[in-house]
Amino acid sequence: MKLLYIVLDGAPDSLRSPARALELAHKPSIDSLASNCLCGLMYVVGRGVAPESDVAVLSLLGYEPERYYTGRGPLEALGSGVEFADGWLALRANFATVDPRTLRIVDRRAGRGLASSEARELARALDGMRLAGGRAEAVFKATISHRAVLVLKHRDYRLSAAISNTDPAYERRGYISVALPVYEPYIKPSKPLVDSVEARVAAELVNEFTFKAIEVLEEHPVNKAREASGRLKANAVLLRDAGDRRPPVEPIAERFNIEFTCIAEMPVEVGIARALEMEVKPVDIESVGSRRELLELEAKLALEALEERRAVYVHLKGPDEPGHDGDLEGKVRALEDIDRFFFKPLLDKVNLEETLVIVTSDHATPWDMKAHSGDPVPVMLSNPKLPERRRAFSERELSQGSLGVIEGGYKLLPIALEVLGRLQSSTL
């Protein structure tokens, strides 16, 4: 039997939201899986924790965040093909729009309108920046749209990740950054979180890079052209989620005795897959012309992967961005597109009798909050032999399922593998 593990990024809203996209969306293919299932709700990282996707995905793949997570930065570097070594510092970066005089943030993502080609040109102006009087260097790479990764290395010191974020929307709690529902919209100076030379030097380098980046980007020809056309400048870089070492994980095939293929759009999920030594089929989203084509490609890749591997993990991004933008209608459309262009062609061809399908999310992104929340996410294990009958995949509909409330996403994969074994041996 095969395992097909599908994560809908940011799909749920809160049970307190005035309306919920999963309930409003017309998604007959996804909902059909609920007619034979085991289901419930799940706190992916912990009760009250509004996780980022990276720590959430690591947990969903069976690794306790408190033990294995070392920050988003190293995962972004791995997923982007940027060299990284223990003792260097890697951080997730966002191109943003700021008032260069006051450091007030106008838009954390430069209006979400930054083309990847523009971002790459801006990144070239920052890559190789010398810091600390020439004793340190910045490696900077744009990835997709406003997203980027920064790696800092110092000639004389190992660097510590025990520093605060400059992005005010996320607060560092240990290695985990938590999305804040309310924050002051100003770049925050990075500060050491422990009393060590390595942390102090790391914070100083981050702050020096931040100010020099504004000087370079403010006058860059790309931003002059954006300003002339009435678009927001991408004139600053917000940094968060520092890491100074790779996660100390054992390969997923050794941990669970099952080989995975990963299909993902974003560098951080690709980085997690590479860290876990999964086979990776990264999706080049710039090579496809539309969201429909992208989803159809991902369905095709999932079917091919199921022919080659026993387990396939698919991470679909669609609903998260409209959730951040407060766009309920956009979130509904994203879910309907996923249902129509990914699930339908996939379910039309996959052998469901011989497949256990997991559908869940890495976190909730309630449209009325415009941020990740600490709400539980719905989770569903589907196979024609499973006993529960539910009408739809949604927060409320699955809340009374037999799985109850799973306290930690890292518990889900062992549960699914136990069910898979019972299906295989016909002992349900």
Side-chain angles (χ1 to χ4, degrees):
M1 291 197 66
K2 301 297 180 87
L3 178 66
L4 178 57
Y5 194 162
I6 302 168
V7 172
L8 309 178
D9 197 306
D13 295 302
S14 171
L15 288 172
R16 299 177 300 278
S17 297
R20 285 172 289 279
L22 283 171
E23 293 176 353
L24 294 174
H26 178 66
K27 47 184 180 40
S29 294
I30 299 174
D31 291 343
S32 70
L33 293 170
S35 61
N36 293 93
C37 73
L38 300 174
C39 64
L41 298 178
M42 176 171 62
Y43 290 99
V44 179
V45 173
R47 285 183 181 255
V49 176
E52 291 192 75
S53 289
D54 57 339
V55 66
V57 170
L58 190 67
S59 184
L60 288 173
L61 288 170
Y63 295 80
E64 303 97 307
E66 296 81 3
R67 180 176 177 186
Y68 295 103
Y69 184 66
T70 59
R72 182 166 185 153
L75 300 172
E76 293 276 358
L78 281 171
S80 306
V82 176
E83 184 183 6
F84 177 74
D86 289 0
W88 297 357
L89 198 70
L91 303 100
R92 160 67 190 265
N94 270 18
F95 283 106
T97 306
V98 305
D99 180 334
R101 295 165 299 173
T102 65
L103 301 187
R104 184 180 185 279
I105 299 170
V106 178
D107 193 292
R108 288 185 56 255
R109 304 175 185 88
R112 279 204 196 275
L114 187 66
S116 295
S117 57
E118 293 177 307
R120 286 192 292 268
E121 200 170 333
L122 294 172
R124 280 193 287 271
L126 303 177
D127 187 37
M129 182 188 291
R130 308 301 294 179
L131 303 167
R135 299 190 308 280
E137 180 186 0
V139 177
F140 191 85
K141 182 176 181 178
T143 55
I144 297 170
S145 184
H146 58 273
R147 305 167 184 86
V149 59
L150 171 67
V151 172
L152 299 171
K153 40 191 173 180
H154 200 290
R155 191 175 64 198
D156 303 324
Y157 296 100
R158 291 177 66 90
L159 300 174
S160 169
I163 61 172
S164 62
N165 300 328
T166 69
D167 186 340
Y170 292 88
E171 181 177 83
R172 201 78 188 270
R173 298 177 188 172
Y175 280 108
I176 297 174
S177 281
V178 176
L180 299 176
V182 180
Y183 58 88
E184 289 292 321
Y186 291 87
I187 294 178
K188 298 179 69 173
S190 181
K191 298 178 181 179
L193 300 177
V194 298
D195 185 14
S196 73
V197 173
E198 294 82 1
R200 176 178 56 79
V201 171
E204 289 172 354
L205 289 180
V206 165
N207 291 331
E208 183 181 357
F209 174 85
T210 297
F211 284 103
K212 286 186 173 180
I214 293 172
E215 293 176 3
V216 171
L217 296 175
E218 175 67 17
E219 300 301 321
H220 195 282
V222 166
N223 279 323
K224 291 296 185 184
R226 289 178 64 84
E227 184 177 41
S229 63
R231 294 177 292 161
L232 292 175
K233 291 182 178 182
N235 63 347
V237 175
L238 302 180
L239 299 169
R240 69 180 194 263
D241 308 333
D244 55 27
R245 60 193 175 101
R246 293 172 62 127
V249 293
E250 60 185 313
I252 196 168
E254 295 179 13
R255 186 172 179 86
F256 295 111
N257 195 32
I258 188 167
E259 292 189 342
F260 269 88
T261 293
C262 172
I263 297 166
E265 303 168 22
M266 293 295 164
V268 67
E269 284 87 29
V270 172
I272 292 169
R274 287 174 176 164
L276 302 184
E277 298 185 22
M278 301 164 77
E279 181 192 34
V280 181
K281 291 184 181 291
V283 180
D284 182 4
I285 64 175
E286 295 182 350
S287 68
V288 293
S290 67
R291 188 69 188 167
R292 172 178 179 169
E293 291 172 330
L294 176 61
L295 291 166
E296 290 174 340
L297 172 61
E298 289 167 327
K300 178 175 177 289
L301 291 174
L303 286 167
E304 291 173 355
L306 281 171
E307 292 292 323
E308 302 163 1
R309 283 278 195 276
R310 191 169 173 220
V312 178
Y313 175 88
V314 186
H315 196 100
L316 301 174
K317 277 294 290 181
D320 186 53
E321 288 193 0
H324 279 289
D325 294 340
D327 182 2
L328 175 60
E329 291 183 1
K331 193 170 183 180
V332 169
R333 284 195 303 272
L335 288 166
E336 291 178 343
D337 285 347
I338 287 172
D339 187 81
R340 183 178 178 187
F341 302 124
F342 175 81
F343 274 92
K344 187 179 188 309
L346 183 68
L347 299 183
D348 281 348
K349 294 183 178 179
V350 73
N351 183 351
L352 292 175
E353 294 284 343
E354 298 296 326
T355 307
L356 178 64
V357 182
I358 305 174
V359 184
T360 190
S361 291
D362 48 354
H363 53 77
T365 310
W367 62 273
D368 52 318
M369 286 181 58
K370 300 184 181 182
H372 298 184
S373 75
D375 293 280
V377 302
V379 57
M380 171 173 71
L381 311 182
S382 177
N383 178 272
K385 297 177 184 177
L386 294 176
E388 289 190 55
R389 306 284 186 265
R390 300 291 169 181
R391 293 171 297 174
F393 177 79
S394 68
E395 303 89 345
R396 193 177 301 279
E397 180 67 15
L398 301 193
S399 64
Q400 301 300 314
S402 62
L403 294 179
V405 178
I406 300 173
E407 302 281 353
Y410 64 90
K411 297 178 181 179
L412 176 59
L413 188 52
I415 291 171
L417 292 173
E418 191 269 336
V419 172
L420 189 69
R422 289 164 58 201
L423 288 168
Q424 185 81 33
S425 60
S426 300
T427 58
L428 278 170

